[in-house]
Amino acid sequence: MKHKQIVDWCRDNDIWYLKIDIEIPEVCIQEAQAVYDEGFFVDHRYGDGDGWCSAAIHSFVKKGSDPSLGWHHTKNPEGHGFSENDVDWGWTEIAEVAPETKRWLEDFPHKSYRRLRFMLLKPGGAIVDHNDASEQRIKEGRVRNIAGAINLAFYQPENCYLRRTDTKEELPFENCTGFWFDNGVNHEALNSSNENRFHFIMHGGFNKERGELMRRSLVKQFGKDVLKEIDD
């Protein structure tokens, strides 16, 4: 089964998250805190003090530059004024602060990595209603895509949510859990706790092993009969 069949089934049935059947080491919590303590986080999107910040352990730099210096490049290359053809991808200096997280990511079933980012939502921080469908996805008619990004909850305090804007259904995060998350659905988040919320977002190419992981995760969440439904 190709992952596109799963993507299509999830879209047609309005499934917007799929829990990943994989273990996330608890050391990732401590290393996320270390990235914070070392001062690597930068405002992620709006730059208006909303408390949403990020730090890239794998990102890009201008061709010929040292990839380790790209930790502050947390948007796509175009978002930082670069062309895709003019950048090199690689591990940033944050890998030295989070070596066990890097080691786990190297073992994760993937073809190739693009942005890998620690995500911080500070106490009282909010992420306003939005979706992440790119112009290209909209043009191609694939706004809904559950395989577009992976969201890992390293540390999820109580009184935090990420939810759909339309139904208010919350994504069931717990510490060290991961989800394929359809970011084409309008969503919002709020941290009402007095602790930092540390998540991690993965972008990268698909391969056979990652497709098998998605299939296994789908069966675990919905049962074996779902495969017959998708094949039909």
Side-chain angles (χ1 to χ4, degrees):
M1 177 189 301
K2 295 181 179 179
H3 82 276
K4 185 180 184 301
Q5 293 173 272
I6 299 176
V7 171
D8 291 344
W9 182 86
C10 289
R11 182 194 63 238
D12 294 344
N13 289 276
D14 197 24
I15 304 299
W16 70 294
Y17 64 80
L18 180 62
K19 187 174 183 180
I20 301 175
D21 185 25
I22 198 167
E23 291 188 8
I24 300 172
E26 290 189 3
V27 69
C28 293
I29 301 174
Q30 288 73 45
E31 293 191 341
Q33 181 65 47
V35 172
Y36 176 78
D37 292 340
E38 292 290 331
F40 280 106
F41 282 97
V42 296
D43 286 340
H44 174 56
R45 180 170 294 183
Y46 306 116
D48 58 2
D50 59 4
W52 193 20
C53 305
S54 56
I57 192 173
H58 189 277
S59 191
F60 64 89
V61 291
K62 185 177 179 181
K63 275 190 179 296
S65 300
D66 182 356
S68 70
L69 303 178
W71 60 268
H72 61 290
H73 289 154
T74 61
K75 303 179 181 68
N76 278 318
E78 293 83 357
H80 289 282
F82 291 89
S83 164
E84 284 279 356
N85 297 324
D86 295 329
V87 300
D88 291 326
W89 293 86
W91 297 99
T92 75
E93 61 183 291
I94 289 177
E96 298 180 8
V97 182
E100 294 304 316
T101 301
K102 180 194 175 194
R103 185 173 293 113
W104 180 76
L105 290 166
E106 289 176 323
D107 290 336
F108 193 93
H110 237 298
K111 180 180 180 181
S112 60
Y113 280 131
R114 287 174 60 83
R115 289 177 298 161
L116 301 176
R117 297 166 293 159
F118 288 93
M119 307 298 297
L120 162 68
L121 193 60
K122 296 178 180 179
I127 303 172
V128 300
D129 174 24
H130 73 289
N131 70 64
D132 299 288
S134 65
E135 291 183 7
Q136 185 65 26
R137 275 169 59 181
I138 294 171
K139 184 185 299 183
E140 295 174 356
R142 54 184 185 92
V143 174
R144 295 290 300 268
N145 181 8
I146 201 168
I150 291 176
N151 190 316
L152 310 177
F154 284 173
Y155 186 70
Q156 177 80 9
E158 294 184 4
N159 299 316
C160 285
Y161 65 70
L162 186 155
R163 67 187 186 187
R164 292 179 64 141
T165 309
D166 54 358
T167 66
K168 308 304 181 186
E169 179 188 8
E170 296 184 15
L171 208 158
F173 286 123
E174 297 177 351
N175 288 357
C176 295
T177 56
F179 292 82
W180 276 285
F181 162 51
D182 188 345
N183 59 19
V185 174
N186 273 54
H187 55 280
E188 59 191 2
L190 179 66
N191 181 0
S192 296
S193 78
N194 60 2
E195 300 180 274
N196 286 328
R197 188 199 79 163
F198 291 114
H199 279 208
F200 194 90
I201 296 180
M202 303 169 62
H203 290 273
F206 235 87
N207 62 345
K208 179 181 178 181
E209 289 76 16
R210 186 175 168 189
E212 291 173 348
L213 174 61
M214 177 171 263
R215 181 181 185 276
R216 186 172 75 244
S217 301
L218 185 80
V219 169
K220 190 165 187 177
Q221 186 164 324
F222 294 102
K224 291 183 179 179
D225 287 347
V226 72
L227 301 180
K228 298 178 183 177
E229 184 177 341
I230 292 175
D231 287 338
D232 291 341

